[in-house]
């Protein structure tokens, strides 16, 4: 295994700082620095970008991003035990790393970053989906970020890239594919992590489009698809009950039969339905 920088191996960092992964924080540490550098390369050319990283832990991906030439990295970490290890990385990389101790759901990163901005993270399992939906559904588009390179449980990654009619197709696929291109770029077995999770993981690269594929209000679309897939086997007229007093008319206006089920409805039709629901 080659060294990517002059800092100690991650196993030594974890031992030195007493960093055992905490299940309550959704932590699983990726210790192979060659692998974290490989993930960083999937982000693209980092030399002209700032990078937002969520949940860096002991800093494996952080070091990968910096060693691959990121202009600047902002790392937001909730676990105070990890801060000293991250500060050691900041000292070794000439001020290109800023560390904020806090909750990624509450911290506003934009005052610390300059565009173009990429987001890269081995997301904590307990907040990963919520963060992704936030990043995909801002009211204005394009967003503050150019790309997302994110690690998830393999099952979640498959839901992001799924197509209509497949078992994994649902809310995440629709929201991701509405305004971006999404692809799985790397698969990781459980043994790549410490402690090994019970499931495989995958890295998804999501590139923002300049404009959405179809017009729709973000909040309305998110509400429609969340409700539609909450009870997958129900007909849409039952699953979406309460969204509008004349729901069946609006479904028909969007080219959707009231007896259809959500899993066979494509993105264009869902966007048309969101427009119909939002209309007076």
């Amino acid at each position: 295994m080659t060294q990517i920088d002059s800092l100690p191996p991650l196993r030594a960092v974890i031992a030195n700082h007493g960093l055992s992964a905490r299940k309550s924080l959704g932590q699983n540490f990726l210790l192979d620095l060659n692998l974290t550098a490989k993930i960083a390369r999937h982000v693209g050319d980092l030399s002209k970008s700032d990078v937002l990283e969520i949940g860096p832990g002991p800093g494996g991906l952080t070091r990968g991003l910096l060693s691959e030439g990121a202009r600047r990295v902002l790392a937001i970490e909730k676990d105070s035990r990890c801060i000293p290890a991250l500060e050691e990385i900041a000292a070794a990389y000439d001020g290109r790393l800023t560390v904020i101790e806090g909750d990624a759901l509450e911290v506003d990163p934009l005052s610390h970053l300059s565009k173009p901005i990429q987001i890269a993270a081995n997301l904590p399992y307990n907040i990963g989906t919520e963060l992704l939906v936030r990043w995909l559904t801002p009211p204005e588009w394009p967003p503050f970020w150019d790309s997302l390179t994110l690690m998830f449980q393999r099952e979640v990654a498959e839901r992001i890239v799924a197509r209509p009619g497949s078992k994994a197709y649902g809310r995440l696929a629709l929201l991701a594919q509405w305004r971006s291109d999404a692809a799985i770029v790397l698969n990781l077995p459980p043994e790549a992590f410490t402690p090994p999770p019970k499931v495989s993981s995958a890295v998804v690269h999501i590139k923002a489009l300049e404009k959405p594929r179809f017009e729709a209000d973000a909040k309305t679309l998110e509400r429609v698809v969340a409700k539609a897939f909450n009870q997958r086997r129900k007909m849409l007229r039952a699953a979406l009950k309460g969204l509008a007093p004349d729901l069946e008319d609006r479904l028909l206006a969007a080219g959707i039969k009231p007896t259809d089920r959500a899993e066979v409805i494509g993105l264009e039709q869902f966007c048309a339905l969101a427009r119909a629901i939002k209309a007076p």
Side-chain angles (χ1 to χ4, degrees):
M1 185 182 297
T2 57
Q3 232 6 54
I4 66 170
D5 56 28
S6 61
L7 290 163
L10 279 173
R11 289 192 184 278
V13 172
I14 287 173
N16 292 342
H17 294 280
L19 298 177
S20 57
R22 286 183 174 171
K23 188 175 182 180
S24 63
L25 294 174
Q27 290 175 330
N28 294 95
F29 297 149
L30 188 60
L31 301 186
D32 185 338
L33 289 171
N34 291 294
L35 193 50
T36 64
K38 184 176 182 180
I39 294 169
R41 288 193 288 274
H42 279 294
V43 179
D45 181 5
L46 292 168
S47 63
K48 297 178 181 178
S49 292
D50 284 6
V51 182
L52 170 62
E53 184 187 4
I54 306 298
L61 180 56
T62 316
R63 289 165 65 176
L65 293 165
L66 290 164
S67 70
E68 290 297 318
R71 184 174 67 191
R72 186 174 190 81
V73 175
L74 172 65
I76 301 175
E77 176 56 63
K78 187 175 183 179
D79 187 354
S80 61
R81 301 174 305 148
C82 296
I83 301 302
L86 295 168
E87 288 175 344
E88 289 175 1
I89 300 171
Y93 276 96
D94 302 323
R96 289 163 53 209
L97 171 63
T98 300
V99 180
I100 294 178
E101 182 181 345
D103 187 335
L105 295 171
E106 299 174 0
V107 173
D108 178 9
L110 294 184
S111 61
H112 302 273
L113 298 168
S114 299
K115 293 183 177 183
I117 298 167
Q118 320 302 331
I119 300 177
N122 173 10
L123 286 174
Y125 285 156
N126 52 357
I127 63 168
T129 300
E130 182 175 351
L131 281 170
L132 176 62
V133 170
R134 284 190 185 190
W135 290 328
L136 292 173
T137 57
E140 301 297 328
W141 197 266
F144 73 88
W145 51 270
D146 285 4
S147 73
L148 311 172
T149 305
L150 307 172
M151 192 184 304
F152 295 98
Q153 293 179 7
R154 169 101 191 157
E155 178 187 352
V156 177
E158 289 173 344
R159 283 161 49 199
I160 294 168
V161 302
R163 297 300 177 189
S166 65
K167 186 178 179 180
Y169 180 67
R171 178 178 69 138
L172 291 184
L174 282 153
L175 295 180
Q177 295 166 37
W178 173 41
R179 291 166 150 179
S180 61
D181 288 325
I184 293 175
V185 294
L186 189 65
N187 292 301
L188 296 147
E191 54 268 26
F193 299 86
T194 298
K198 295 180 180 180
V199 295
S200 296
S201 300
V203 177
V204 182
H205 183 72
I206 300 172
K207 180 71 175 174
L209 299 173
E210 288 188 9
K211 60 181 182 179
R213 288 189 161 87
F214 307 102
E215 288 301 315
D217 173 73
K219 285 186 177 180
T220 306
L221 182 63
E222 205 281 327
R223 185 161 53 98
V224 167
V225 299
K227 197 170 178 65
F229 286 97
N230 189 42
Q231 302 178 70
R232 295 177 65 92
R233 296 182 182 180
K234 278 196 171 185
M235 297 177 188
L236 281 172
R237 67 182 173 197
L240 298 177
K241 188 176 180 181
L243 275 182
D246 52 350
L247 176 64
E248 293 205 12
D249 290 341
R250 300 193 190 211
L251 284 165
L252 291 169
I256 300 170
K257 296 177 183 177
T259 54
D260 283 340
R261 290 173 171 80
E263 51 265 37
V264 301
I265 303 301
L267 172 62
E268 184 174 7
Q269 287 175 298
F270 266 115
C271 289
L273 179 58
R275 294 194 301 271
I277 292 293
K278 187 175 174 59

